[in-house]
């Protein structure tokens, strides 16, 4: 298999802080690769190393077949980068910024003008093309940033949290654009928004405290963490019985997490392989419902979404506390 | 030097967009204009204020124009040069635009060289305008023209401003703060001024350029011309080379 990005034993230290530790990754060409991780995990640091803005403290990385530390301009011709907070020359106009960037990639004359017009159209900025960037909104800047990152038809595109300041339509357009790049361009995208990863990415890596926790295809991840989820939707007006039921389920050994969201009880069972606890769970859960006298309008066994998996991997889902503290505090506040 | 030409065009448009060129042209025009005026009017002014008892002020001469010109364009010009140079690199690091450009096919050398080239041209334009205005305005005021050496003097003053520009530029490449860069340039200026107190040191320092400029403008032949110009070219080159070396290895990530 051909790899667009490989890292071997990459590390980055800031004084005593290890922003990245011994990171090894291989990203197949043409894939849309999602880099997940909580705040401070090292996502931006990794992106900066791979784009040559900062130097690794140890290890090596190759992007588009070139060594990152020694390739300079040759590498930068072949990549596109959208920073987490895209920053441009505010005095430039949108069209001017695209033309300037195109020129840096060697475009001139008619091909440059055509490419600029195309990118303006794609990013929905044609109407704002002659306005100064300093007057653009956050979402407009992000769309301009993507257009600037794509102007050279990069082999590898780095997107550092590209979705954060977009409205729903902009977000949809962005994901659409990213999907269309599949196969032709390798997209390396860091994000917090798991639903978006689920929609466009075929591979994911999860980073926490500078360490790689897991790297797999989305499908593998789902299989590996195919910890089942039971969804129970009680009929209305049984608050007391439902509360009792939740307490009963929570007390079961096989149960990792119970939440009540929007009138639906979500029950996570522990990993099934070693102790067949899923079988236990499916055996036990309905008798508990009956014993609590709760009437259900829906009972379903479903697969976890990426968010459940993510929380489980970064070790937030297996905490003794079955509900996230913040949510609990909020609930207590409303009582 | 990949990307150099594109970066020069960008620097030039930036100098126009943020009015840097305009401000420099206006300020240096004023410097040029007031030089002959002050030379002509100072004795008059002193007399009208009651004069200095017992001293007969000599009538104004062309050499007074030269003195005024050097004072205004070189000595005051230094502060203009520092002010317009301090943010040249530091602001781009601070605002993250350096990171934006430097993930594109541009070498860091081209990035810096485009800046210093544009800045040199901006200053040259300012000094040329100042010299033109001073030369032209001297004629009606003194019924005489400055010597042809005045133009050579203007060129030497340009070199003088480039020394301070280069040191400020090094500060700007070294630090992330514009104020820090200005302080760096100012410190270099003060340091060099202090050194010039040493006997015979002036010919190895930017101050020596001003002695040369004065003599050239008065159609005299300065001693140590080649030496002083050569040494000052080194004073320009050294901080620039240092700036390239430092900036080439820097991590260019804006941290808010
Ligand atoms: N220049 C720096 N100096 C010191 N520490 C730094 C520097 N850059 C990053 N760090 C630290 O390295 C760690 C990783 O930061 P990084 O920005 O890569 O995280 P991230 O995963 O992108 O987070 P976020 O989701 O908030 O963007 C953090 O602890 C951060 O404080
Ligand atoms: Mg980040």
């Amino acid at each position: 298999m051909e790899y667009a990005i490989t890292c071997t034993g990459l590390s980055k230290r800031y004084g005593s802080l290890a922003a990245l530790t011994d990171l090894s990754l291989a990203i197949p060409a043409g894939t849309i690769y999602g880099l997940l991780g909580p705040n401070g995990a090292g996502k931006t640091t990794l992106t900066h190393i791979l784009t040559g803005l900062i130097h690794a403290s140890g290890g090596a990385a190759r992007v588009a077949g070139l060594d990152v530390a020694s390739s300079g301009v040759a590498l930068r011709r072949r990549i596109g980068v959208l920073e987490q907070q895209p920053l441009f020359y505010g005095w430039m106009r949108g069209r001017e910024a695209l033309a300037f960037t195109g020129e840096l990639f060697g475009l001139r004359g008619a091909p440059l003008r055509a490419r600029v017009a195309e990118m303006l159209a794609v990013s929905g900025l044609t109407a704002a093309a002659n306005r100064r960037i300093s007057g653009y909104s956050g979402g407009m800047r992000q769309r301009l940033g993507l257009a600037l990152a794509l102007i050279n038809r990069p082999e590898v595109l780095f997107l550092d949290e590209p979705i954060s300041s977009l409205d729903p339509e902009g977000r949809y357009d962005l994901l659409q654009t990213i999907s269309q790049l599949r196969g032709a361009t390798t997209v390396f995208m860091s994000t917090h928004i798991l639903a978006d990863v689920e929609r466009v990415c075929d591979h994911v890596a999860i980073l926490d405290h500078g360490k790689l926790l897991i790297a797999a295809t989305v499908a593998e991840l789902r299989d590996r963490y195919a910890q089942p989820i039971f969804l129970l939707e009680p009929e209305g007006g049984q608050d007391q019985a439902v509360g009792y039921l939740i307490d009963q389920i929570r007390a079961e050994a096989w149960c990792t997490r119970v939440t009540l969201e929007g009138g639906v009880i979500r029950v996570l069972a522990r990993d099934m392989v070693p102790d067949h606890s899923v079988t236990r769970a499916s055996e036990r859960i309905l008798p508990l419902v009956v014993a609590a006298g709760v009437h259900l309008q829906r009972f379903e066994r479903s697969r976890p979404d990426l968010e459940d998996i993510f929380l489980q991997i970064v070790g937030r889902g297996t905490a003794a506390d079955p509900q996230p503290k913040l949510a609990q505090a909020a609930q207590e506040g409303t009582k | 030097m990949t990307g150099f030409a594109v970066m020069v065009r960008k620097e030039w448009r930036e100098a126009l967009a943020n009015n840097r060129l305009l401000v420099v042209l206006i300020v240096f025009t004023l410097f040029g204009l007031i030089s002959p005026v002050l030379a002509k009017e100072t004795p008059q002014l002193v007399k009208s204020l009651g004069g200095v008892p017992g001293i007969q002020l000599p009538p104004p001469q062309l050499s007074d124009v030269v003195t005024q010109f050097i004072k205004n364009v070189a000595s005051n010009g230094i502060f203009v040069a520092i002010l317009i140079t301090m943010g040249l690199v530091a602001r781009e690091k601070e605002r993250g635009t350096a990171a934006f450009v430097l993930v594109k096919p541009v070498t860091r050398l081209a990035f810096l060289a485009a800046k210093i080239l544009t800045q040199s041209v901006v200053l040259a334009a300012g000094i040329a305008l100042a010299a033109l205005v001073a030369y032209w305005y001297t004629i009606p005021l003194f019924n005489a023209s400055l010597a042809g050496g005045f133009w050579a003097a203007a060129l030497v003053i340009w070199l003088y401003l480039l020394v301070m520009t280069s040191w400020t530029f090094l500060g700007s490449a070294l630090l992330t703060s514009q104020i820090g860069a200005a302080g760096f340039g100012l410190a270099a200026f003060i340091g060099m001024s202090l050194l010039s107190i040493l006997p015979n040191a002036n010919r190895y320092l930017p101050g020596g350029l001003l002695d040369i400029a004065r003599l050239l403008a008065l159609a005299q032949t300065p001693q140590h011309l080649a030496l002083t110009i050569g040494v000052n070219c080194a004073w320009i080159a050294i901080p620039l080379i240092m700036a390239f070396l430092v900036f080439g290895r820097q991590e260019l990530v804006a941290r808010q």
Side-chain angles (χ1 to χ4, degrees):
Chain A
M1 193 184 290
E2 196 194 331
Y3 293 106
I5 303 174
T6 51
C7 312
T8 22
L10 217 53
S11 67
K12 178 69 183 175
R13 306 194 60 85
Y14 289 109
S16 62
L17 182 116
L20 285 181
T21 312
D22 193 24
L23 188 104
S24 297
L25 261 186
I27 298 177
T31 52
I32 300 180
Y33 203 96
L35 181 65
L36 303 178
N39 290 129
K43 304 183 294 294
T44 299
T45 304
L46 178 57
T47 310
H48 282 160
I49 292 176
L50 293 176
T51 54
L53 277 174
I54 64 176
H55 314 288
S57 317
R62 294 180 82 79
V63 171
L66 298 168
D67 178 53
V68 167
S70 62
S71 296
V73 167
L75 171 66
R76 301 204 293 271
R77 274 188 216 291
R78 298 161 70 170
I79 62 173
V81 184
L82 176 58
E83 286 271 341
Q84 187 163 0
Q85 281 150 345
L87 295 154
F88 317 104
Y89 297 104
W91 55 268
M92 282 191 187
R93 297 163 202 280
R95 184 191 308 281
E96 198 178 358
L98 282 161
F100 165 65
T101 311
E103 282 180 21
L104 287 176
F105 284 106
L107 290 170
R108 296 287 184 279
L112 174 66
R113 281 194 298 277
R115 186 70 180 149
V116 167
E118 183 189 348
M119 294 321 290
L120 282 171
V122 168
S123 54
L125 289 170
T126 308
N130 295 322
R131 279 169 49 193
R132 287 195 194 279
I133 299 169
S134 53
Y136 278 20
S137 72
M140 288 165 84
R141 279 163 200 247
Q142 210 135 24
R143 280 184 283 150
L144 176 65
L146 184 68
L148 291 170
L150 285 171
I151 197 155
N152 60 326
R153 303 177 208 274
E155 281 171 50
V156 183
L157 177 66
F158 294 90
L159 304 171
D160 195 357
E161 283 176 42
I163 300 156
S164 46
S165 59
L166 292 173
D167 60 18
E169 196 190 339
R171 189 171 145 198
Y172 176 83
D173 290 346
L174 178 88
L175 293 175
Q176 204 68 16
T177 308
I178 294 174
S179 297
Q180 283 161 5
L181 295 171
R182 195 189 311 273
T185 302
T186 309
V187 182
F188 184 77
M189 172 170 104
S190 85
T191 183
H192 299 291
I193 303 172
L194 293 137
D196 294 336
V197 172
E198 211 151 19
R199 266 194 51 196
V200 296
C201 295
D202 15 62
H203 287 63
V204 287
I206 298 180
L207 212 58
D208 193 18
H209 293 108
K211 294 201 183 78
L212 184 68
L213 297 182
I214 195 165
T217 66
V218 174
E220 276 167 11
L221 207 60
R222 283 231 183 77
D223 286 346
R224 189 148 7 143
Y225 292 86
Q227 171 207 39
I229 287 192
F230 296 93
L231 301 174
L232 290 71
E233 189 173 354
E235 287 167 8
Q238 322 176 68
D239 289 357
Q240 216 177 343
V242 167
Y244 175 74
L245 174 61
I246 289 176
D247 289 341
Q248 291 297 302
I249 296 174
R250 195 170 283 162
E252 294 283 316
W254 45 264
C255 167
T256 28
R257 199 152 68 107
V258 191
T259 55
L260 179 59
E261 277 169 38
V264 179
I265 308 171
R266 277 171 83 87
V267 183
L268 259 82
R270 210 179 288 286
D271 207 343
M272 57 178 161
V273 190
D275 61 352
H276 303 282
S277 58
V278 168
T279 327
R280 287 288 298 149
S282 26
E283 279 168 9
R284 289 284 298 146
I285 205 158
L286 283 173
L288 286 173
V289 172
V290 174
V294 170
H295 301 275
L296 293 182
Q297 55 183 4
R298 180 160 74 102
F299 175 71
E300 190 184 321
R301 195 174 138 178
S302 120
R303 282 154 63 87
D305 57 23
L306 214 50
E307 186 163 345
D308 297 311
I309 297 175
F310 176 77
L311 290 173
Q312 205 183 336
I313 293 174
V314 274
R316 312 278 153 97
T318 47
D321 189 349
Q323 291 225 1
K325 285 217 169 54
L326 218 58
Q328 211 171 37
Q331 269 179 5
E332 273 159 15
T334 54
K335 268 176 198 164
Chain B
M1 289 284 267
T2 315
F4 178 66
V6 180
M7 289 309 290
V8 169
R9 281 201 295 280
K10 171 254 164 191
E11 286 298 324
W12 194 248
R13 274 183 286 136
E14 191 164 43
L16 290 171
N18 64 20
N19 292 327
R20 188 162 87 227
L21 180 65
L22 188 69
V23 168
V24 167
L25 292 184
I26 290 175
V27 170
F28 277 87
T29 303
L30 288 178
F31 287 165
L33 199 64
I34 59 171
S35 299
V37 174
L38 283 177
K40 176 84 179 173
E41 301 299 334
T42 304
Q44 214 78 43
L45 204 69
V46 174
K47 205 175 356 157
S48 72
L49 291 173
V52 189
I55 292 177
Q56 184 68 40
L57 280 172
Q61 294 176 338
L62 283 181
S63 64
D64 297 325
V65 178
V66 171
T67 308
Q68 283 291 341
F69 187 79
I70 290 176
K71 191 176 122 227
N72 289 313
V73 176
S75 308
N76 296 338
I78 288 248
F79 299 102
V80 178
I82 290 178
L83 279 176
I84 60 172
T85 309
M86 63 186 195
L88 229 44
V89 187
R91 200 185 319 116
E92 293 226 22
K93 285 193 279 187
E94 203 173 66
R95 298 200 180 157
T97 48
F100 168 76
V101 170
L102 292 167
V103 292
K104 307 282 181 288
V106 178
T107 59
R108 295 188 181 198
L109 179 63
F111 179 82
L112 291 186
K115 286 181 180 297
I116 199 73
L117 176 74
T118 306
Q119 194 74 322
S120 312
V121 173
V122 165
L123 284 171
I127 290 178
L129 204 57
L132 217 64
V133 169
Y135 186 87
W136 167 75
Y137 209 57
T138 301
I139 299 172
L141 284 178
F142 288 81
N143 278 321
S145 309
L146 288 158
F150 178 68
W151 303 108
L155 203 63
V156 173
I157 292 174
W158 176 63
L159 220 52
Y160 175 80
L161 292 190
L162 286 188
V163 177
M164 285 358 277
T165 301
S166 298
W167 284 95
T168 311
F169 191 72
L170 171 59
S172 194
L174 211 56
L175 309 167
T176 326
S177 129
Q178 301 187 49
I179 303 299
F184 193 91
L186 220 52
F189 172 61
I190 292 168
M192 287 178 159
S193 307
L194 288 177
L195 282 178
S196 70
I197 296 168
L198 297 174
N200 293 331
N202 217 26
R203 70 184 69 149
Y204 303 104
L205 291 167
L209 290 173
L210 298 186
D211 298 341
I212 288 180
R214 186 177 165 75
L215 293 171
L216 286 175
L218 297 174
Q220 296 170 16
T221 316
Q223 282 179 297
H224 316 299
L225 176 78
L227 173 76
T228 305
I229 289 187
V231 172
N232 277 287
C233 285
W235 282 130
I236 295 171
I238 290 166
L240 291 185
I241 292 169
M242 281 161 68
F244 293 137
L245 293 178
V246 169
F247 190 70
R249 299 217 40 79
Q250 245 167 29
E251 306 213 319
L252 292 177
V253 179
R255 304 210 54 93
Q256 281 90 355

